[in-house]
Amino acid sequence: MIAAFLAQNPPPTPSPNTGANAATVFYITLLIIFLTGIVTTVVTKWARDKCLKYFHGFHVTLERARGQTTWGLVKIFATGVEITYDHPYVDAHGLKKTSYMLYGPDFEQQLLALFRYHHELDDAQQKRRDAQIRSTFNPGPLKRMWRSVRNFVNTLRDAFNAAIGAVVSQYQHANPSSAVLSTQGGNVTQIGQTLLGKFAGNAYEPLLEQYIGRAVMVDCVDPINPNNAIVEYTGYLVDYTAQFLAVFNVQHSTGERFEVTLPDVEQGPPLPPLPSPPPPGVPIPPLPPPEKIENEVAVRVDGLRFKVQNTRHDPVIVLRLEREGYEPVKFGNVIPPMATFDLPARDARGGRLVLECVRMLDLVTPRKFATIRHGGELVERRGFVDELHLRQLPLVPTVLNRFRNGGE
């Protein structure tokens, strides 16, 4: 009887493709896992902030949150910046230093601003900056359309992210036998959302979008007294992200040129470290009295170094150091208001610093420390333009004018 039953109902024969299907599912699962890791790593580790990228490869000055300045050629990375000095120097311990790196939590907490001054760039950098200005303030139709599409996607990013999750979930329900999506649906959703975030950009704010290419005034915290004072910079808004603002000026005009004579000493008592920022409304403790104040520039001796502080309302450029019997040393360092510039006292004692007051610079600053507080409207009224240090921007994007001029 059993033999007759088995003859009529033979057991199911194992499918010869079962092993192949299992292997295929396994390899596809591994591929999705690796693809998720690669996409996430590339986007998060190699995607640089688009405002900071404007300064990559340029000679800039980096200002930290307590007013210290460092200058040189900058390299922009996803997690920080590196400043390569114009000339390596040897510190008090005999160590030769060639660069300064600011990264990780320090990058977010200490970076106050990056400054670029056209006349202190070499010829190649000046040409790059001119091309950058033209492409930034005179974007073509494709670039304008791309920005509009990106802003549209960014506005509806949450909806698109939800749609990606819904599509993957619906496909899982419609294909319950799909072993790949049943286990890797979350990774597939993560890839889509990561790529969407990269495509859409970092931020879209209608309040700032209307001022792209227009005059603005940026309020930046005072590095010495951030709770009770601000430093104002003027220029034209180039771009913004969730972390940074980029404000440029086409022409970098200069003001008076003046000199500061340094004390003829090699060292002095070390200054106490700057205290932490005080609570709101509490004035900062007074700084030690300077050795001298000349042309609104204060000079202090801090151990083996001079600390040169700009007490003016405008930034100044340190052009060079002149010292009798030595070749002049060129710098090109920007000293923002209330910031400081360090020099080795042994090599600079008795010398003359040649400085120049400037009113227009290119600026990239974190939104944590800076805010666009005012829009600047250029009007024909005597004294107004000079008071704000604004000039008419010749490269404001105007599609109609370009068409009228034959597309030039």
Side-chain angles (χ1 to χ4, degrees):
M1 184 189 309
I2 296 177
F5 176 80
L6 291 177
Q8 296 177 0
N9 301 280
T13 303
S15 174
N17 296 326
T18 301
N21 289 338
T24 301
V25 170
F26 175 74
Y27 288 125
I28 292 177
T29 301
L30 283 182
L31 178 63
I32 291 177
I33 293 174
F34 275 103
L35 185 61
T36 303
I38 291 173
V39 170
T40 304
T41 300
V42 169
V43 170
T44 58
K45 299 297 184 181
W46 293 97
R48 299 170 297 174
D49 188 278
K50 61 180 179 179
C51 288
L52 288 175
K53 282 196 300 184
Y54 285 113
F55 283 2
H56 180 74
F58 284 93
H59 187 277
V60 302
T61 297
L62 181 148
E63 182 186 15
R64 283 177 279 168
R66 302 306 286 155
Q68 306 97 322
T69 57
T70 305
W71 70 100
L73 192 69
V74 66
K75 296 179 182 178
I76 305 298
F77 299 92
T79 57
V81 297
E82 180 183 13
I83 301 289
T84 303
Y85 301 137
D86 296 339
H87 306 284
Y89 77 93
V90 179
D91 64 8
H93 303 286
L95 300 176
K96 187 176 182 179
K97 300 180 180 179
T98 59
S99 67
Y100 175 81
M101 289 174 282
L102 192 65
Y103 54 92
D106 294 337
F107 177 70
E108 299 178 358
Q109 297 294 328
Q110 295 188 25
L111 178 62
L112 187 60
L114 285 171
F115 300 93
R116 182 177 64 183
Y117 184 53
H118 181 80
H119 301 296
E120 294 302 325
L121 305 177
D122 59 31
D123 293 339
Q125 292 179 5
Q126 287 183 353
K127 292 179 181 179
R128 284 179 53 206
R129 179 184 175 273
D130 291 338
Q132 190 180 84
I133 291 291
R134 287 193 298 270
S135 63
T136 299
F137 288 104
N138 273 333
L142 293 179
K143 193 173 182 179
R144 291 170 179 270
M145 183 178 67
W146 169 256
R147 186 176 185 91
S148 299
V149 172
R150 189 188 64 194
N151 289 340
F152 172 76
V153 174
N154 212 331
T155 303
L156 302 177
R157 183 191 298 184
D158 292 340
F160 282 110
N161 286 337
I164 293 174
V167 169
V168 173
S169 177
Q170 182 64 27
Y171 190 85
Q172 287 176 331
H173 290 303
N175 299 272
S177 60
S178 176
V180 175
L181 279 182
S182 63
T183 58
Q184 299 301 320
N187 287 335
V188 174
T189 303
Q190 181 181 347
I191 293 176
Q193 293 178 351
T194 302
L195 294 176
L196 180 63
K198 177 58 181 175
F199 169 81
N202 295 322
Y204 170 65
E205 297 185 25
L207 184 61
L208 294 180
E209 193 70 22
Q210 63 176 336
Y211 278 99
I212 295 293
R214 296 177 58 187
V216 295
M217 298 183 66
V218 180
D219 290 350
C220 191
V221 300
D222 187 294
I224 303 300
N225 192 3
N227 293 315
N228 297 325
I230 59 171
V231 179
E232 290 186 337
Y233 298 101
T234 59
Y236 294 84
L237 181 61
V238 174
D239 215 331
Y240 61 91
T241 62
Q243 290 80 30
F244 291 93
L245 298 169
V247 178
F248 291 178
N249 282 285
V250 176
Q251 302 296 331
H252 287 178
S253 61
T254 60
E256 62 173 318
R257 182 172 294 190
F258 57 94
E259 295 183 355
V260 173
T261 303
L262 300 174
D264 194 5
V265 297
E266 288 192 5
Q267 62 180 343
L271 297 176
L274 284 175
S276 301
V282 177
I284 192 171
L287 298 176
E291 289 286 325
K292 64 180 301 184
I293 298 180
E294 185 177 353
N295 292 318
E296 299 183 76
V297 174
V299 181
R300 295 178 174 86
V301 181
D302 181 17
L304 300 175
R305 307 190 70 79
F306 289 137
K307 285 193 171 293
V308 182
Q309 184 183 30
N310 174 26
T311 63
R312 293 170 171 247
H313 295 293
D314 295 320
V316 298
I317 302 291
V318 183
L319 299 178
R320 61 185 179 274
L321 171 66
E322 297 177 350
R323 191 181 176 199
E324 187 175 354
Y326 296 89
E327 289 290 330
V329 179
K330 296 182 179 180
F331 290 104
N333 177 53
V334 179
I335 312 181
M338 302 309 297
T340 58
F341 167 69
D342 290 352
L343 281 174
R346 183 188 62 181
D347 299 328
R349 63 185 182 89
R352 297 188 310 275
L353 278 180
V354 180
L355 304 100
E356 194 169 49
C357 184
V358 297
R359 292 185 172 89
M360 294 185 179
L361 296 159
D362 295 339
L363 167 73
V364 173
T365 181
R367 299 178 67 174
K368 178 178 180 179
F369 299 115
T371 305
I372 293 181
R373 190 66 65 186
H374 306 281
E377 190 68 32
L378 303 185
V379 298
E380 294 295 332
R381 189 172 69 183
R382 185 176 180 179
F384 180 77
V385 173
D386 294 330
E387 179 182 350
L388 294 183
H389 310 309
L390 297 175
R391 296 293 185 271
Q392 179 61 46
L393 181 66
L395 298 176
V396 172
T398 308
V399 173
L400 293 179
N401 287 344
R402 293 182 66 187
F403 288 158
R404 292 168 184 169
N405 295 332
E408 298 179 359

